[in-house]
Amino acid sequence: MKLKIDIYNLRNSKGQIVVLVYNKDGTIPDKSFSKYYRKKIVKIDDKTAYVEFDNLPAGKYAVNFFHDENANGKLDKGFFIPKEGFGLSRFESVNLFNRPNFKKASIIVQQDTLIRIKTIYL
């Protein structure tokens, strides 16, 4: 099966998007971006990005990405707050009362699936 991801609300077309797919409870939040199941780096086209993950078994997945504006391979932070954009499946915003976790971010994939994820800037 394919999981197709449409990323929108990017503030510019600089850099790249690092997209991570997770398949286990407890893997999100992933501050070190190391607990993922699959990873892809994609280009930005006119403040949007699109990526497909092929050959996924049916199951529960969550998607996390970050807008790597300077293409250094990491989410840059200032005073513990991300300076670059990020997003998670099923999240429009993140705050103290709406913290990400695998259960809240997960989607069921049983056929080819398309999801749209908003980029969040703090």
Side-chain angles (χ1 to χ4, degrees):
M1 281 161 256
K2 286 184 185 180
L3 176 57
K4 305 169 191 177
I5 304 157
D6 182 21
I7 296 167
Y8 70 99
N9 197 48
L10 294 162
R11 66 178 163 204
N12 59 53
S13 296
K14 295 177 185 174
Q16 60 194 7
I17 302 294
V18 178
V19 185
L20 308 153
V21 174
Y22 298 83
N23 67 346
K24 291 182 183 153
D25 197 19
T27 53
I28 292 177
D30 183 14
K31 293 178 183 176
S32 64
F33 299 104
S34 61
K35 301 174 187 174
Y36 60 86
Y37 171 62
R38 297 229 188 130
K39 174 182 177 178
K40 285 193 177 182
I41 298 172
V42 295
K43 294 179 187 177
I44 300 166
D45 184 27
D46 195 25
K47 297 182 183 179
T48 62
Y50 180 81
V51 62
E52 288 185 10
F53 288 88
D54 298 327
N55 302 314
L56 289 177
K60 191 184 284 191
Y61 298 94
V63 179
N64 188 11
F65 75 85
F66 62 93
H67 180 187
D68 186 10
E69 291 183 79
N70 58 3
N72 68 351
K74 63 183 182 180
L75 178 64
D76 294 325
K77 297 177 184 174
F79 298 110
F80 305 104
I81 296 173
K83 292 178 6 181
E84 297 174 309
F86 64 95
L88 295 117
S89 46
R90 301 187 60 216
F91 276 81
E92 290 284 317
S93 65
V94 173
N95 58 49
L96 288 175
F97 304 104
N98 190 28
R99 294 183 144 184
N101 64 47
F102 182 83
K103 184 177 180 179
K104 283 198 238 177
S106 64
I107 56 166
I108 302 295
V109 175
Q110 294 179 323
Q111 61 189 18
D112 288 358
T113 303
L114 170 64
I115 61 171
R116 295 189 75 220
I117 305 177
K118 180 181 178 181
T119 308
I120 300 165
Y121 294 93
L122 299 178

